[in-house]
Amino acid sequence: MTDLASSQCPALDPGLLAAQYTDSRTSSTNLYTPWAPLSHRAKENSLNRMVAILEPLAKKQRAQVSRRQDSVSAEIGKRKTNTLGVPRKRALASSAKSTKPKVQLPPAPARPGRPLLSRKKLEGKSTHVSPREEVSVKPYSLDAPKSAPRSVNQATLDFYSWQEGHPGDLLNEQTVKSGHYDKASISQGETGSARPIIWSSVKHKSGLQVLSSLYVSSLDQRRLQTTVHSRSTFKPPPRVTLTDAKREAWLKDLADPRIPLRRLSRTIPHGIRGKALLDHCLAKKIPTWRAVWLAKCVGANEIRAFKRKGTSGAFALGGETKWIRDWTTHVEQFIESLMESCGSNDWKSQMTYGLQLAAHVYFDHLLDQDAFVEWITAGIQNSHEASLPMWLILVTMYCKHIPATRRLGYCLAIAMLEQLLQQTRTGFVEANKMVWHSTTSMIYDLMIKYPEFLVLPIQWHRYENALFRSLVTIRNSAQTSFEMVSSRNSRCRKDAIAYSNETFPYKKVISYLELASQRTINLQKLSDTFIRMTQDQQRLVATLIQWSTAKLRQNVSRVYLAVRILRQLARLGFALDDPITAILASTIELRQLDISKVYLLVSELVRSYHFSMGKYLQWLLAKGSLASSEGAKIQIELLNNIALTGLSETVLNLRAIVLAQMCRSLDIRAEVSAGEQLLKDQLANPSKSCGVSGALDSSIRSLCGSAKAEIALRMRKNVLWQARQAYAEDRVPPFQDFTQAALLLQNFQIVVSAIESLGDYSVLADILHIYVDRAEISTLPIVVDSINCRYDVLHALGAVKPLLATLLVRMAGYPERTLGERPLFSSLIMLAERTSNSKDTVIRLQQELALCEPISSLAACSPVSDQMVEALHYADTSFVEELELLFNSGTSMDRSLLAHIFSDLTQRIEDTQDTFGQPIASLIDLLTRLRSFEDEFFEDLILDWFEKIIPSQHVSNHVGIAIGLVSGGAVALKSIIAKTSVLLRSFAGHVQEFATDLLEVLLIGFSAWIPKSSMTARFEVERAKLTDSPRVIVPLIERVISWSQIDCESRSKARNIVENSSFPEFLQNLFADAANKGYSLDEIVLNLSTCEAAKISIDTALGLSSKDCGYAKELRTLFSNANEINIILSQIRLRLLTAAPDESPDVREHLVQALVDEATQARPEKRSTWSRLFAMLSPDVALDVHAISWKQIYQSLRKEVQLEAKQLHPEIISNLVAVIESTEKIIPTTSSGKVLDDIASVLMSLQNCYLVRASMDGSRSNNDSSRTTDCTESIALYEKTGYLETILELLSIHRRAIQHQLLPPAVFCQLIITLSFLLTASWARLSAHTAQFLFDVIALISDYLPSESRLYCGHVLRGQYQINDTRVDYLLGTSHGEHNPSLSILVPESSKTSGASKSATRHQTYQYRLKNWEMVQDATPVVGENDTSLSLTLFEARKRVEMIHA
């Protein structure tokens, strides 16, 4: 039955069979496992039932099968069958004819060894078989496996494919029993085994030795037969001259990798060298490895040509070096030419090929790597915006492979930092952010991998800020690495060592405050910065108060800025009561502060509830010292100068009790009533003055601070009430009460002047807000000019930006632009220009100003009419109106016409008596408009006119005219000052008087000349700009100081200027600007040194007493009072003290010694301040101070003094080092050479001590015990006192002498050798900090040494001292060059030994350097035994024997 089923079911569908079989099973069968394993009995029953089902179906299909069997029999045998052994197509055909339904079941398991085909693939196959279809059969061939071992000729070992007729395929008795094997053919002359021959020799006891000798002799024979004995037959491929066609054909063959190099090496075309060789490789697309082969062949021939010319070895080596330099230059030019061709066709692929070829040449050491890296660094430093990306690619390629030497790393770091600095300065970052990011990332990688590259003490200050901002932007974690590198540079630069860590943050706080007083700031960010910089809250608050209330500062704007910052700090949790109380309790600190400003600051904090008046009164009562001392008077007087509004009844009563007890009680109500009455009287007669009168101003200023604050608040309330009444809480409708509104606007100047006299600028800002928000457009110019005049205070209050924003909103609501709005837009432009981040606003306002010009469209491009000029004198209308029509008639003007109108206008200005009325204001406005026609020609006209009228006696008010012209914008203030300085050289009299008056206006103010008004706003702006560049008025200052000492017409005015309280602040600004910009003020110092009035004024600003006598006492007072706020003025005072021209040598010596004594005895916490005092000494005094300080240090450093005299205290030495640091920048550079020479001798003595102790420790000898003891004590003293670090600090201080190489190279070489010895000596026992400092100082010295000197130092350290240290190799570059491949060879030497007849063989090691240019593959066309460039006989090289088994 089984056979029947197997023979009769080829045409059945397997799916149908499975369905029938599944239906016949029991219901317990799991459908998802149809082929579950069954028992033997169950299998037999199932098979019988299947046969019964299949037999009827087989009979019906047998006839059809027989008809088709002939046509498809051949194909059936070739096609794959299904799991039942039935062809798939027949099974599918049979299933198609079946009428029984099919049941979809899970697929059957795949047959092992066959890939599993999805049912979709089976169903997708076609069931149609054409009888004519021919099936191509590929004959089967057996391939050898890829992993089979192969012989030299690529024949596979031990692999034989089956072939018919092989003896192994014959089945016979022998093959079946024993298998098939190849029988070895044994000749008749040989035995089958060597055992009978050698057994007799090895069977006894010495057989093992005999067998060993046999093997050794066999190995010796093999070594002798396989060793290379012949000399090297290598020769570089010869060069021959070929025609152009043959040369091109040869290059094309070289570009074809299928042509072997052996064939091409027969002849190389002559004339392919240098950059032409690289160009040919690029043009022919020669593979880079074959291009390098060509370069090596050409280079080897060129280098060998130098040896064939008969020159000596030195000349040949020099010629080879020169050729390699030239070849390096050709490679550089090749890359540069590719860069220049950027943008051409196929440029990217050409650039890629060129960079790859250059990289192969570089990494194969076929060029001068030092010169190539220097070319890259110079290129990136001088590259422009277009070529910078390519240079960055070059740096990226070679940065990791640059030899780690100080010289190359120094050049690379300087180039990258310079490029980064230029990018940040020119706005390159915004336009090319990716390039900037790449530059910063490369510098960051250098900082992480090679931080020594960025130790640049002399250049670090130039790149520090730009690098920090860039690194923090791209990497948050870069700050730690930056601080480490920055600390190393600061330590070597020695600029920050003299400043103690305790006071340094507060110096930065003051610098931030000075910056904040000039720019718009973010209080939140500034406060956070202060908190991060210091944790001492009390010291920070005290610094803010000292900076804002110092006597040196005349402007109260700093007080209001400090108040805003203190309020912000109070919001962040700072306690202000204790620091303020501590300052009020310190009499010494109060002497240096302006008490009125201290009262103002405390009053503002009391008004905003940030200072508790109740706690202050409790402290005052608990203190128990309300006696009549100076401090107690100030503390009690504070109670009369605070704002009382908002204080509780308890605090007011307690205040009254304290004041009554001290008999300082004032009737505040009476003073307030008197002040209000004075202001009412002034407001009742507004036409008499455009401001408060002088008597009213003095009366208001004499009131106490509490009364002033109350009057200011009442005025603010009154102004707000009047504004609300006048505008009826609505700005759009017209005025309801014109009289009241007119009164309000007419009294604007009186109200502002009164508030300014009261000194309450917070209230003034509120009043200006009221006017800006509610005044008419016609009144706004006056309001805006008032803001410009008081810009500094309003800016400190933070009121400028809100005021400007409100004004812009007001102007946006009035679209009309007429000539009447022109003054308003001019004032708004002036205000917006002074406000930071308002460039767009300025441009928009300038466009609005252009719309105010009433120029008709017909006169858009027409010249002004000459006839209208002639008609000016005959017209019935006014001159101003007619000239207005003239200006509106055209946009251009002839020079002669412009000069005619200018002459007419200036004549009318000279004739005008009221220089500050409306007529002259109109004339100045016309001059300003006339300037717009031709600016340069007008500038010459107006300066020539000034040159004419200043010496003239006909014009009475020169200063008034100058103020008016500057205020109107007709001329710049700097131009007038420059012209006055020129006139002072030739004229006296009126010019001298004008110069004195002009300087008085600039320093003191112009209140004595004209009141503040809209006309003077621009003059205030120009006057404020002089603070940024005070150098302009240096000639005027020099003359006025000299005039104050002689009898002349201007002496009284000059003395008033010098004695004014604003003069010291101006001097401080002037000298600070001179220190930053590097111009000399020796003439001013010489004049000030003889001016007692100037000295008294400066002493008053510094809080010094003029009763001090004697240099020592005066210097001690000056040193104790100097701080970070008045440091520059203290420097000026010290300079005046030491600049007396008539002093004798004894006085000079006494003064210098007093300076040094004060410096050595100063406290460490004051070192940061007094060390800066020496920066302003005269060069001769500084030289003497420097010499005395160095003498004391040198005596302490010398060995003899160390053992015989008492040592200086380390603090004294630190102070002396700080003095030397401060004076070294002043003295001539040549004077530093002596110090370096002395330091070199001290270091030599220290080195000798180390050598003596090391030799004694090694020999353990006591022959010279005294010398050993001395050396040990000297070394112990150096290690204990830290004198080595002192020497290193002195070397870093005198870096100018190192930079300019003022001493012979031998001295610097000796310094480097000694310092390197101390760095590497194991017995030196240097700390990590000292070792790193020593390493950086050696780097500083080596940066400016010639290459020959560095190599000499390396040779001495390696040869004489046997020092092989990677740090020294890095610093001196001595390890550079070892990248050249080299081998060590042993050369046998035969020498006769004494007492022996036999010769003993010794081997000596030699270094054999490989020749990079001759390491060429397939060099010669003939393959020889020893045809390599390196002679194999030097190393007893062996032949390669190929063993091929048949």
Side-chain angles (χ1 to χ4, degrees):
M1 188 68 68
T2 305
D3 296 337
L4 178 63
S6 61
S7 62
Q8 292 182 357
C9 48
L12 296 182
D13 186 5
L16 178 62
L17 294 178
Q20 292 176 350
Y21 171 71
T22 305
D23 292 340
S24 65
R25 295 189 61 181
T26 59
S27 60
S28 64
T29 303
N30 190 354
L31 295 179
Y32 294 97
T33 56
W35 307 108
L38 301 173
S39 63
H40 179 72
R41 184 71 176 175
K43 291 181 180 179
E44 185 177 357
N45 295 335
S46 299
L47 185 59
N48 293 334
R49 287 195 298 270
M50 184 182 293
V51 171
I53 295 171
L54 293 177
E55 187 173 5
L57 296 174
K59 292 180 180 180
K60 294 180 182 180
Q61 296 180 358
R62 190 174 293 120
Q64 184 179 0
V65 171
S66 61
R67 287 193 299 268
R68 298 181 58 187
Q69 189 172 5
D70 297 335
S71 61
V72 297
S73 58
E75 184 180 358
I76 289 175
K78 298 176 182 178
R79 300 185 64 84
K80 296 180 181 180
T81 59
N82 57 14
T83 56
L84 297 178
V86 181
R88 294 184 182 276
K89 293 189 177 181
R90 293 182 61 188
L92 292 174
S94 176
S95 63
K97 295 181 179 182
S98 178
T99 58
K100 293 185 179 182
K102 299 179 181 179
V103 180
Q104 186 70 23
L105 293 176
R111 180 178 296 179
R114 295 183 62 186
L116 182 61
L117 300 177
S118 64
R119 183 174 297 275
K120 291 184 179 181
K121 291 184 179 181
L122 290 175
E123 295 175 354
K125 289 188 177 182
S126 174
T127 58
H128 176 70
V129 179
S130 175
R132 298 181 180 179
E133 183 178 358
E134 296 182 1
V135 180
S136 60
V137 179
K138 181 181 178 181
Y140 178 77
S141 62
L142 184 62
D143 297 330
K146 296 181 179 180
S147 59
R150 299 176 184 273
S151 62
V152 179
N153 57 358
Q154 299 301 318
T156 308
L157 302 180
D158 296 333
F159 180 79
Y160 303 97
S161 59
W162 178 85
Q163 296 178 358
E164 188 177 358
H166 193 273
D169 297 335
L170 299 177
L171 296 179
N172 50 30
E173 182 181 359
Q174 182 66 27
T175 305
V176 172
K177 290 182 178 181
S178 305
H180 174 75
Y181 59 92
D182 294 331
K183 294 182 179 180
S185 59
I186 303 175
S187 61
Q188 296 181 355
E190 295 183 1
T191 60
S193 174
R195 184 176 183 276
I197 300 176
I198 65 173
W199 177 248
S200 59
S201 301
V202 299
K203 65 181 180 179
H204 45 77
K205 292 182 179 180
S206 60
L208 184 61
Q209 184 177 1
V210 172
L211 187 62
S212 176
S213 301
L214 179 62
Y215 278 115
V216 169
S217 62
S218 300
L219 292 176
D220 288 340
Q221 289 297 323
R222 188 179 68 174
R223 182 178 60 82
L224 292 175
Q225 293 177 8
T226 59
T227 303
V228 175
H229 297 282
S230 61
R231 299 183 62 84
S232 177
T233 60
F234 169 80
K235 289 184 180 180
R239 293 186 296 177
V240 297
T241 304
L242 301 178
T243 61
D244 293 343
K246 291 183 179 181
R247 183 173 58 186
E248 291 295 324
W250 189 90
L251 290 173
K252 289 181 181 180
D253 292 341
L254 181 63
D256 189 358
R258 295 173 297 180
I259 300 178
L261 295 177
R262 287 284 183 184
R263 172 182 167 187
L264 297 174
S265 62
R266 296 173 184 174
T267 55
I268 294 179
H270 202 285
I272 303 178
R273 63 166 64 92
K275 184 175 178 294
L277 185 148
L278 301 172
D279 292 335
H280 280 297
C281 294
L282 176 64
K284 303 299 186 301
K285 297 293 187 351
I286 299 176
T288 53
W289 63 277
R290 294 170 74 93
V292 172
W293 175 84
L294 175 61
K296 286 184 177 181
C297 293
V298 173
N301 278 283
E302 293 283 345
I303 293 174
R304 287 200 170 198
F306 292 107
K307 299 179 180 179
R308 290 195 299 266
K309 293 178 180 179
T311 57
S312 61
F315 285 100
L317 183 61
E320 178 181 350
T321 304
K322 181 180 182 300
W323 186 89
I324 294 176
R325 282 292 183 94
D326 294 340
W327 165 250
T328 305
T329 305
H330 293 319
V331 176
E332 296 168 359
Q333 293 174 355
F334 173 68
I335 300 177
E336 289 177 351
S337 64
L338 290 177
M339 290 184 183
E340 294 174 358
S341 63
C342 177
S344 60
N345 296 332
D346 201 23
W347 174 81
K348 184 177 180 180
S349 61
Q350 292 182 2
M351 193 68 202
T352 304
Y353 178 86
L355 293 179
Q356 290 177 352
L357 181 57
H360 278 284
V361 173
Y362 178 87
F363 294 119
D364 286 347
H365 310 291
L366 301 179
L367 47 72
D368 189 344
Q369 291 190 339
D370 287 357
F372 191 74
V373 172
E374 290 176 359
W375 169 73
I376 293 177
T377 55
I380 194 172
Q381 185 172 357
N382 302 322
S383 63
H384 50 82
E385 181 177 347
S387 63
L388 180 58
M390 289 307 307
W391 288 107
L392 291 177
I393 292 175
L394 289 175
V395 173
T396 306
M397 291 175 58
Y398 299 101
C399 180
K400 297 180 181 179
H401 306 279
I402 290 177
T405 59
R406 171 66 185 177
R407 185 174 61 86
L408 295 179
Y410 172 83
C411 296
L412 178 62
I414 289 292
M416 296 296 295
L417 290 173
E418 183 65 27
Q419 186 59 237
L420 179 65
L421 179 64
Q422 296 302 324
Q423 291 177 12
T424 54
R425 284 182 176 178
T426 58
F428 181 86
V429 178
E430 292 75 9
N432 299 272
K433 198 166 186 66
M434 292 299 297
V435 177
W436 168 81
H437 190 277
S438 300
T439 306
T440 309
S441 299
M442 291 179 188
I443 297 177
Y444 177 73
D445 293 340
L446 284 179
M447 183 178 295
I448 296 299
K449 297 177 182 178
Y450 307 106
E452 297 82 8
F453 286 0
L454 296 177
V455 179
L456 313 167
I458 297 178
Q459 298 87 357
W460 181 250
H461 69 282
R462 174 180 171 84
Y463 309 113
E464 183 177 8
N465 294 331
L467 179 59
F468 177 74
R469 290 193 298 267
S470 301
L471 289 177
V472 173
T473 303
I474 66 167
R475 298 287 178 90
N476 295 329
S477 60
Q479 186 171 359
T480 303
S481 302
F482 175 83
E483 289 177 353
M484 181 190 68
V485 175
S486 181
S487 63
R488 294 177 66 176
N489 281 285
S490 299
R491 183 174 54 191
C492 292
R493 195 171 64 245
K494 194 59 181 67
D495 287 342
I497 295 178
Y499 308 147
S500 63
N501 294 328
E502 181 184 0
T503 59
F504 182 72
Y506 302 100
K507 179 177 179 293
K508 273 202 166 184
V509 168
I510 292 174
S511 64
Y512 274 113
L513 290 172
E514 292 292 344
L515 187 63
S517 64
Q518 302 171 7
R519 301 179 182 177
T520 304
I521 60 170
N522 187 325
L523 285 181
Q524 181 66 39
K525 292 183 179 180
L526 186 63
S527 302
D528 294 341
T529 303
F530 288 162
I531 293 174
R532 287 195 303 268
M533 290 169 57
T534 176
Q535 300 298 327
D536 191 349
Q537 298 184 5
Q538 186 167 352
R539 183 68 182 275
L540 177 59
V541 174
T543 303
L544 286 168
I545 297 175
Q546 292 170 359
W547 173 79
S548 59
T549 61
K551 288 184 178 180
L552 187 61
R553 310 297 187 186
Q554 298 300 314
N555 198 340
V556 296
S557 61
R558 287 178 172 82
V559 176
Y560 287 100
L561 178 60
V563 168
R564 290 179 63 200
I565 298 174
L566 288 173
R567 289 170 179 168
Q568 181 63 30
L569 293 176
R571 296 188 193 102
L572 297 176
F574 273 54
L576 304 182
D577 296 334
D578 294 340
I580 295 176
T581 305
I583 289 179
L584 293 173
S586 176
T587 306
I588 298 177
E589 290 192 10
L590 289 175
R591 288 178 182 176
Q592 302 180 26
L593 304 181
D594 190 339
I595 302 302
S596 61
K597 294 178 184 176
V598 176
Y599 293 159
L600 176 61
L601 183 141
V602 176
S603 178
E604 289 292 327
L605 293 176
V606 170
R607 179 181 286 178
S608 59
Y609 303 103
H610 290 99
F611 180 74
S612 176
M613 202 61 203
K615 291 183 179 179
Y616 175 74
L617 289 171
Q618 293 174 7
W619 170 80
L620 204 59
L621 291 173
K623 181 182 175 183
S625 59
L626 298 179
S628 59
S629 62
E630 181 180 358
K633 290 180 181 178
I634 295 175
Q635 296 158 9
I636 297 301
E637 195 64 31
L638 175 64
L639 301 179
N640 285 326
N641 288 275
I642 60 173
L644 303 180
T645 305
L647 296 180
S648 63
E649 191 68 25
T650 304
V651 173
L652 292 176
N653 292 335
L654 187 59
R655 168 185 172 276
I657 292 174
V658 172
L659 288 176
Q661 183 179 356
M662 295 299 299
C663 300
R664 298 291 298 171
S665 180
L666 298 176
D667 192 352
I668 303 299
R669 295 182 179 178
E671 290 192 1
V672 170
S673 299
E676 283 187 334
Q677 186 61 41
L678 291 173
L679 290 174
K680 287 180 181 179
D681 295 340
Q682 184 71 36
L683 291 172
N685 302 298
S687 59
K688 294 183 179 180
S689 174
C690 57
V692 295
S693 61
L696 177 61
D697 180 68
S698 59
S699 300
I700 292 177
R701 293 182 184 276
S702 63
L703 299 175
C704 66
S706 300
K708 291 179 182 179
E710 183 65 25
I711 294 173
L713 290 176
R714 292 187 181 185
M715 288 189 67
R716 176 190 175 278
K717 183 178 181 181
N718 185 31
V719 170
L720 181 60
W721 180 83
Q722 289 186 17
R724 288 176 177 175
Q725 292 296 322
Y727 295 93
E729 294 296 333
D730 193 357
R731 200 185 314 140
V732 178
F735 291 115
Q736 302 294 331
D737 189 350
F738 178 79
T739 304
Q740 199 167 14
L743 179 65
L744 175 66
L745 300 177
Q746 199 172 14
N747 289 334
F748 171 77
Q749 290 287 354
I750 298 177
V751 172
V752 172
S753 299
I755 297 296
E756 196 169 16
S757 299
L758 292 171
D760 200 333
Y761 287 94
S762 300
V763 174
L764 177 62
D766 294 340
I767 292 176
L768 289 174
H769 270 289
I770 296 172
Y771 278 99
V772 166
D773 189 60
R774 299 179 178 273
E776 273 294 315
I777 295 296
S778 58
T779 314
L780 284 181
I782 303 175
V783 179
V784 178
D785 288 333
S786 300
I787 297 173
N788 281 322
C789 290
R790 300 156 183 87
Y791 178 85
D792 293 338
V793 180
L794 296 175
H795 169 73
L797 284 165
V800 174
K801 275 197 169 182
L803 288 171
L804 180 60
T806 306
L807 286 167
L808 294 177
V809 172
R810 290 287 311 273
M811 296 308 300
Y814 291 89
E816 295 184 3
R817 299 293 180 260
T818 62
L819 189 61
E821 281 78 28
R822 188 176 181 276
L824 175 58
F825 282 105
S826 299
S827 301
L828 282 174
I829 291 173
M830 191 189 314
L831 179 61
E833 286 176 344
R834 303 179 69 181
T835 307
S836 60
N837 301 326
S838 300
K839 294 182 179 179
D840 297 337
T841 304
V842 172
I843 295 174
R844 189 168 66 253
L845 290 174
Q846 289 175 347
Q847 294 173 353
E848 296 287 342
L849 179 62
L851 296 176
C852 297
E853 296 292 341
I855 299 178
S856 62
S857 59
L858 296 177
C861 298
S862 61
V864 175
S865 174
D866 296 342
Q867 296 180 357
M868 295 187 67
V869 179
E870 296 295 335
L872 285 175
H873 303 281
Y874 306 103
D876 296 333
T877 57
S878 65
F879 175 81
V880 175
E881 294 176 357
E882 195 67 27
L883 200 54
E884 288 280 358
L885 295 175
L886 174 65
F887 289 161
N888 297 335
S889 64
T891 58
S892 62
M893 185 180 297
D894 185 69
R895 285 194 172 187
S896 59
L897 179 59
L898 190 148
H900 181 73
I901 298 175
F902 177 83
S903 177
D904 203 350
L905 285 172
T906 53
Q907 185 62 41
R908 289 175 179 270
I909 291 175
E910 293 176 13
D911 297 340
T912 303
Q913 297 297 325
D914 185 8
T915 55
F916 309 111
Q918 184 61 33
I920 195 171
S922 301
L923 294 174
I924 291 174
D925 183 65
L926 291 175
L927 271 179
T928 305
R929 295 182 63 186
L930 183 64
R931 185 187 185 99
S932 62
F933 286 97
E934 191 167 352
D935 193 17
E936 295 181 0
F937 182 66
F938 183 88
E939 182 76 13
D940 296 337
L941 288 177
I942 198 167
L943 292 180
D944 292 342
W945 176 59
F946 258 103
E947 187 176 355
K948 183 186 69 172
I949 67 170
I950 290 177
S952 176
Q953 300 180 2
H954 301 289
V955 181
S956 58
N957 195 354
H958 306 84
V959 177
I961 293 175
I963 295 173
L965 291 174
V966 173
S967 301
V971 67
L973 181 59
K974 292 182 179 180
S975 301
I976 294 179
I977 296 174
K979 178 59 69 174
T980 305
S981 302
V982 173
L983 293 175
L984 283 173
R985 302 171 186 172
S986 306
F987 298 93
H990 289 280
V991 178
Q992 181 176 320
E993 183 180 355
F994 173 77
T996 308
D997 294 340
L998 182 60
L999 189 60
E1000 182 181 1
V1001 170
L1002 296 176
L1003 298 184
I1004 302 175
F1006 50 81
S1007 58
W1009 299 90
I1010 56 175
K1012 288 185 178 180
S1013 63
S1014 60
M1015 185 177 175
T1016 59
R1018 184 178 294 275
F1019 187 83
E1020 284 283 359
V1021 175
E1022 294 288 334
R1023 180 169 167 244
K1025 290 180 180 179
L1026 289 178
T1027 306
D1028 300 330
S1029 57
R1031 183 182 181 181
V1032 178
I1033 58 176
V1034 167
L1036 297 184
I1037 290 289
E1038 295 175 355
R1039 296 299 181 93
V1040 168
I1041 294 175
S1042 61
W1043 293 337
S1044 64
Q1045 302 300 308
I1046 60 176
D1047 293 331
C1048 62
E1049 299 177 359
S1050 303
R1051 178 179 180 180
S1052 58
K1053 291 184 178 180
R1055 289 184 64 87
N1056 292 336
I1057 294 174
V1058 173
E1059 294 175 355
N1060 191 270
S1061 58
S1062 60
F1063 184 71
E1065 182 179 6
F1066 175 79
L1067 281 180
Q1068 171 144 323
N1069 295 334
L1070 179 64
F1071 277 80
D1073 186 71
N1076 294 332
K1077 297 181 180 178
Y1079 55 88
S1080 176
L1081 297 175
D1082 294 337
E1083 188 68 25
I1084 292 181
V1085 172
L1086 184 60
N1087 292 333
L1088 287 174
S1089 62
T1090 59
C1091 182
E1092 293 298 329
K1095 292 181 181 179
I1096 294 174
S1097 178
I1098 294 174
D1099 290 345
T1100 303
L1102 291 175
L1104 304 178
S1105 174
S1106 59
K1107 297 180 180 180
D1108 294 338
C1109 58
Y1111 285 123
K1113 188 175 181 180
E1114 196 168 354
L1115 287 173
R1116 189 176 301 110
T1117 306
L1118 181 61
F1119 276 39
S1120 61
N1121 290 352
N1123 52 45
E1124 295 295 338
I1125 300 171
N1126 60 14
I1127 183 63
I1128 296 180
L1129 197 62
S1130 300
Q1131 290 175 345
I1132 298 173
R1133 189 65 186 90
L1134 181 61
R1135 178 74 179 272
L1136 297 179
L1137 187 64
T1138 59
D1142 55 346
E1143 59 186 10
S1144 61
D1146 295 338
V1147 174
R1148 168 66 62 84
E1149 184 179 356
H1150 177 66
L1151 173 63
V1152 170
Q1153 190 61 47
L1155 283 171
V1156 176
D1157 293 342
E1158 286 298 325
T1160 54
Q1161 297 172 9
R1163 295 176 298 173
E1165 60 269 15
K1166 294 286 290 184
R1167 188 182 303 158
S1168 65
T1169 303
W1170 63 256
S1171 60
R1172 297 174 61 191
L1173 289 175
F1174 291 90
M1176 285 294 293
L1177 291 175
S1178 59
D1180 50 350
V1181 175
L1183 185 60
D1184 295 340
V1185 172
H1186 184 278
I1188 293 178
S1189 301
W1190 167 242
K1191 182 180 179 181
Q1192 295 185 15
I1193 294 178
Y1194 180 65
Q1195 290 176 352
S1196 181
L1197 293 177
R1198 287 172 53 194
K1199 181 187 67 174
E1200 295 82 5
V1201 179
Q1202 293 171 10
L1203 302 179
E1204 297 174 3
K1206 185 179 179 180
Q1207 300 300 314
L1208 293 176
H1209 192 273
E1211 290 295 338
I1212 296 179
I1213 293 181
S1214 299
N1215 290 343
L1216 290 173
V1217 171
V1219 173
I1220 291 177
E1221 175 193 355
S1222 302
T1223 55
E1224 196 274 337
K1225 301 175 183 178
I1226 309 172
I1227 64 176
T1229 310
T1230 55
S1231 303
S1232 303
K1234 177 66 167 56
V1235 178
L1236 294 180
D1237 202 1
D1238 294 342
I1239 291 176
S1241 64
V1242 171
L1243 287 174
M1244 279 294 297
S1245 301
L1246 182 60
Q1247 179 185 357
N1248 293 332
C1249 291
Y1250 275 115
L1251 290 175
V1252 169
R1253 189 176 75 170
S1255 62
M1256 295 301 175
D1257 292 343
S1259 61
R1260 299 295 181 183
S1261 175
N1262 295 324
N1263 296 332
D1264 196 0
S1265 58
S1266 61
R1267 184 182 180 188
T1268 306
T1269 304
D1270 293 345
C1271 294
T1272 304
E1273 292 181 5
S1274 299
I1275 295 173
L1277 186 61
Y1278 265 82
E1279 294 171 350
K1280 180 180 179 180
T1281 58
Y1283 279 157
L1284 181 58
E1285 289 198 9
T1286 301
I1287 293 175
L1288 297 178
E1289 290 177 1
L1290 291 170
L1291 285 173
S1292 62
I1293 287 173
H1294 295 85
R1295 56 186 175 272
R1296 288 193 306 160
I1298 298 173
Q1299 184 179 6
H1300 296 91
Q1301 294 291 296
L1302 299 179
L1303 294 178
V1307 178
F1308 292 108
C1309 290
Q1310 186 60 48
L1311 279 174
I1312 288 184
I1313 292 172
T1314 306
L1315 294 175
S1316 301
F1317 172 80
L1318 296 176
L1319 177 66
T1320 58
S1322 59
W1323 55 82
R1325 297 197 298 271
L1326 300 177
S1327 63
H1329 179 273
T1330 305
Q1332 189 182 66
F1333 190 17
L1334 178 57
F1335 177 86
D1336 295 339
V1337 172
I1338 299 174
L1340 172 63
I1341 301 174
S1342 65
D1343 287 341
Y1344 300 97
L1345 272 185
S1347 300
E1348 297 78 8
S1349 300
R1350 284 197 300 269
L1351 294 177
Y1352 168 76
C1353 295
H1355 176 72
V1356 171
L1357 290 171
R1358 285 178 178 271
Q1360 182 176 350
Y1361 297 101
Q1362 300 297 319
I1363 293 177
N1364 293 314
D1365 194 278
T1366 56
R1367 295 172 295 177
V1368 177
D1369 293 339
Y1370 161 78
L1371 292 170
L1372 303 179
T1374 53
S1375 63
H1376 189 45
E1378 292 186 359
H1379 62 268
N1380 189 17
S1382 59
L1383 298 173
S1384 296
I1385 60 176
L1386 294 175
V1387 178
E1389 292 183 354
S1390 185
S1391 61
K1392 296 286 184 178
T1393 57
S1394 60
S1397 59
K1398 296 184 179 180
S1399 60
T1401 303
R1402 295 184 306 173
H1403 290 80
Q1404 187 173 0
T1405 303
Y1406 289 94
Q1407 189 177 24
Y1408 185 89
R1409 289 191 175 273
L1410 304 179
K1411 300 177 181 179
N1412 298 321
W1413 289 97
E1414 296 184 359
M1415 296 172 65
V1416 185
Q1417 60 175 347
D1418 299 334
T1420 55
V1422 180
V1423 180
E1425 186 182 41
N1426 191 1
D1427 62 346
T1428 61
S1429 61
L1430 177 64
S1431 180
L1432 299 179
T1433 57
L1434 294 173
F1435 311 100
E1436 297 183 354
R1438 296 176 181 176
K1439 300 176 185 178
R1440 180 183 178 188
V1441 181
E1442 303 292 347
M1443 304 297 293
I1444 302 176
H1445 298 280

